[in-house]
Amino acid sequence: MTGAPNLVAVPDPDTFKIVPWAKRTGFILCDEYFQNGQVMPFSSRSILRQSLVELHQRGLEHIVGLEVEWYLAKLLDPMLAMADVGTSGKPGEPALVSAVEHSFQYLLESHNPEIHDLLGVLAENLVEIGLPLRSVENEGGVGQFEFTFDPIPALYE
């Protein structure tokens, strides 16, 4: 294990996209190499490519569909005052947040108007960047949501 000293990130131009929510910002995936040209052993895209070659040799393919669960909260105070940020060996205070909707729910849509506009913006941006958004759902906790994505080939390019 040599770590990642002097790592070289080589952009893959086929993956370039303009970030929809920041029109003057681009997104691009990179492959990682050492300065001598060897592939970085923990480069996730290289590991995936090698795995896909091995699957293809067996007549198989790898299809991936994601289910991403996340929480939405309103930031009241980031707690970044010097007294709150912590010190070596002592973690700082967590940000102070509040709920954005009422009650615990599971697939309940009666509170969606409280956060519908924001969820709509998130969904539109995911679709615009090319991700195959399938559904946006409430989950069990306050402010807990789930985005599911249609299955696609494993290597996003």
Side-chain angles (χ1 to χ4, degrees), residues 118-130:
L118 177 60
L119 290 178
V121 168
L122 291 172
E124 288 168 11
N125 281 285
L126 290 170
V127 170
E128 191 173 334
I129 203 167

Side-chain angles (χ1 to χ4, degrees), residues 75-97:
L75 180 64
L76 299 176
D77 183 346
M79 302 298 285
L80 294 176
M82 290 307 291
D84 299 323
V85 296
T87 60
S88 180
K90 181 181 179 230
E93 296 297 319
L96 183 61
V97 298

Side-chain angles (χ1 to χ4, degrees), residues 2-146:
T2 61
N6 303 315
L7 184 71
V8 177
V10 178
D12 179 350
D14 291 336
T15 66
F16 179 78
K17 296 187 183 300
I18 298 294
V19 177
W21 55 90
K23 298 294 185 190
R24 295 177 53 130
T25 302
F27 167 88
I28 193 165
L29 296 175
C30 295
D31 294 299
E32 301 148 328
Y33 298 88
F34 291 118
Q35 285 190 351
N36 65 6
Q38 288 183 321
V39 173
M40 202 288 206
F42 303 113
S43 171
S44 56
R45 285 171 48 92
S46 294
I47 292 169
L48 178 58
R49 277 194 191 95
Q50 181 59 40
S51 297
L52 293 174
V53 166
E54 292 171 17
L55 285 171
H56 180 72
Q57 290 170 346
R58 296 177 184 177
L60 302 170
E61 63 180 320
H62 188 73
I63 304 297
V64 178
L66 293 177
E67 174 182 309
V68 180
E69 294 188 15
W70 53 280
Y71 284 89
L72 177 64
K74 181 178 180 181
L75 180 64
L76 299 176
D77 183 346
M79 302 298 285
L80 294 176
M82 290 307 291
D84 299 323
V85 296
T87 60
S88 180
K90 181 181 179 230
E93 296 297 319
L96 183 61
V97 298
S98 69
V100 295
E101 62 176 348
H102 291 85
S103 167
F104 283 83
Q105 54 213 330
Y106 180 68
L107 301 177
L108 177 67
E109 308 224 349
S110 64
H111 296 297
N112 278 2
E114 295 172 335
I115 42 86
H116 174 71
D117 290 343
L118 177 60
L119 290 178
V121 168
L122 291 172
E124 288 168 11
N125 281 285
L126 290 170
V127 170
E128 191 173 334
I129 203 167
L131 295 174
L133 183 63
R134 177 182 239 169
S135 69
V136 176
E137 303 166 5
N138 284 103
E139 277 293 319
V142 174
Q144 184 181 10
F145 297 93
E146 170 185 291

